[in-house]
Amino acid sequence: MEIHQLTAHELLEKLKSKETTQEEILASLKKRIEDVEVKVKAFVRVEKPAHPHTRAPADSYCLPIAVKDNICIQGQLTSCASKILEGFRPPYDATVIRKLKEAGCGIYGQTNMDEFAFGSSCENSCYFPTRNPWNLACVPGGSSGGSASAVAADEAFWALGSDTGGSIRQPASFCGVVGLKPTYGRVSRYGLIAFASSLDQIGPITKDVQDSALLLKLIAGHDRCDATSVNTGVPDYTQSLGKDIRGLKIGVPKEYFALSKENQLTGIDPEVKQCVEEAILQLKKLGAQVKEVSLPHSAYAVPVYYIIATAEASSNLERFDGVQYGLRHKGAVSLHDMYEKTRDSGFGYEAKRRIILGTYVLSHGYYEAYYLRALKVRALIANDFANVFKECDCIVTPTSPTPAFAIGEKTQNPLAMYLSDIYTISVNLAGIPAISVPCGLSKAGLPVGLQIIAKAFDEEMLLKVAHAYEQSTPWHKEKPKI
């Protein structure tokens, strides 16, 4: 097996046993990117892969890592795949970047994304669309499509993404890799360029569950720079792996599989349904107790999300006006004209759509009718999960209602695009953790993801169940032929 095909934990073992060297790892990665990046287009920029951080301890995690283009890296261009941040070089490292550097990880590339994380396909980038390594005519998912695609194509051993409504888990499902969205407050958001501040979370995208446990351990923890960071201990997540799941109670929400016309989320692809049902049977074989549960307010998750998320996006993005940093339109004749022309030329179509929608729901006369009501329903959605966790250890669902779709298939139908995240959005609204692991392939050879959800700050449960399932099935070993 080539070096670039190995997982991060396999490489770390080889480094410790001196079966390979940093030079060999970097050379293999460089060669792989040269071979396939022209097809996949996962990166918006690639720095020369560096040697481990000079201050890193001897037992550090000395591996290069790819980072989504909305996480600040000191002195390096960071654009959120948007023209509005043209030329922006952050004067500081995001907390997760600082932690990675201290652990010995070299930051070597920034991955493509939907502009400001607005999208589910990685087509809304100001640079180019990223492609799915399993089928180059298909999307990799979004908004962290570049990170997921890079890991799936072996252009990265592991990567960071951000998840506001499914932006780690959905592309992980589409690309056949593992994507973990931590509990809100578990990982610092300091240095993450905000989309929706009450929903955003940074998390790992990896080749297997063990790598997710390793990477989460590195980036999790309290941060005084982030007011929403929770001051609670960070366990060694690798200790959750390899454990027996016999006797665990797993809930399967009936709303995600069989819905009445009055309470219908969306049609689930029959092949996705079959793969997920087979995964549930496998969990039963491993000794878990599976029971049907109800999340009655799930039907309202999409409208609630697109009210709250766009409102917060409108508020967060008003800072991009051409005054302090980023793009400034040179043909303006007044301050107001500069604002208007800078934003018109700097923001893409989907960003404008969401800013306008968010501004509308926050405007006088509509705040109470839309935004305030959405907050109340959000509380009901969170309460649904809390009730289920009184009787279950975790919940399993599909990650996405369909496998990856064709590039351009949904760009003219925003609602169809928004529904791509229908099974993931509720988790962000409730602020709880979830992970997507591969659970099968469609007849067209495209990956299908299984989503596992746990109560707040119980990432150990996620990793325990995900690892048990992963190790009992072959799906994580399936690789795209690119």
Side-chain angles (χ1 to χ4, degrees), residues 466-480:
H467 188 258
Y469 172 76
E470 176 191 77
Q471 295 302 304
S472 68
T473 59
W475 304 117
H476 66 291
K477 297 178 182 178
E478 296 285 343
K479 300 295 179 185

Side-chain angles (χ1 to χ4, degrees), residues 9 12-13 21 76 80 87 102 108 111 113 132 166 185 266-267 299 319 346 357 401 403 431 433 435 451 475:
H9 65 86
L12 289 170
E13 287 299 320
T21 65
Q76 293 190 22
C80 284
E102 290 173 352
Y108 75 93
T111 56
M113 57 182 284
N132 192 318
T266 184
R319 72 192 68 174
L357 179 58
I435 192 170
Q451 180 176 224
W475 304 117

Side-chain angles (χ1 to χ4, degrees), residues 380-451:
L380 294 175
I381 291 171
N383 192 54
D384 286 347
F385 280 106
N387 288 334
V388 170
F389 288 130
K390 290 177 183 177
E391 52 184 299
C392 294
D393 297 297
C394 64
I395 298 168
V396 296
T397 76
T399 305
S400 172
T402 67
F405 46 87
I407 291 175
E409 181 179 330
K410 298 185 179 182
T411 53
Q412 301 305 312
N413 188 343
L415 181 56
M417 185 74 77
Y418 296 166
L419 290 173
S420 299
D421 296 327
I422 199 156
Y423 296 142
T424 55
I425 281 171
S426 296
V427 169
N428 296 77
L429 292 170
I432 55 180
I435 192 170
S436 177
V437 293
C439 71
L441 294 174
S442 70
K443 291 178 182 177
L446 293 169
V448 174
L450 174 73
Q451 180 176 224

Side-chain angles (χ1 to χ4, degrees), residues 284-347:
K284 284 184 178 180
K285 291 178 182 177
L286 293 173
Q289 300 175 23
V290 177
K291 63 177 295 184
E292 184 178 85
V293 297
S294 178
L295 297 171
H297 294 95
S298 296
Y300 309 107
V302 170
V304 166
Y305 173 83
Y306 279 100
I307 289 172
I308 294 173
T310 57
E312 294 187 16
S314 172
S315 177
N316 280 322
L317 269 62
E318 69 179 355
R319 72 192 68 174
F320 303 115
D321 54 13
V323 175
Q324 296 185 67
Y325 53 84
L327 180 71
R328 176 182 293 183
H329 197 279
K330 294 180 171 56
V333 295
S334 67
L335 183 62
H336 184 274
D337 191 43
M338 185 195 72
Y339 289 160
E340 184 175 329
K341 289 182 176 177
T342 296
R343 288 169 171 164
D344 181 53
S345 59
F347 287 125

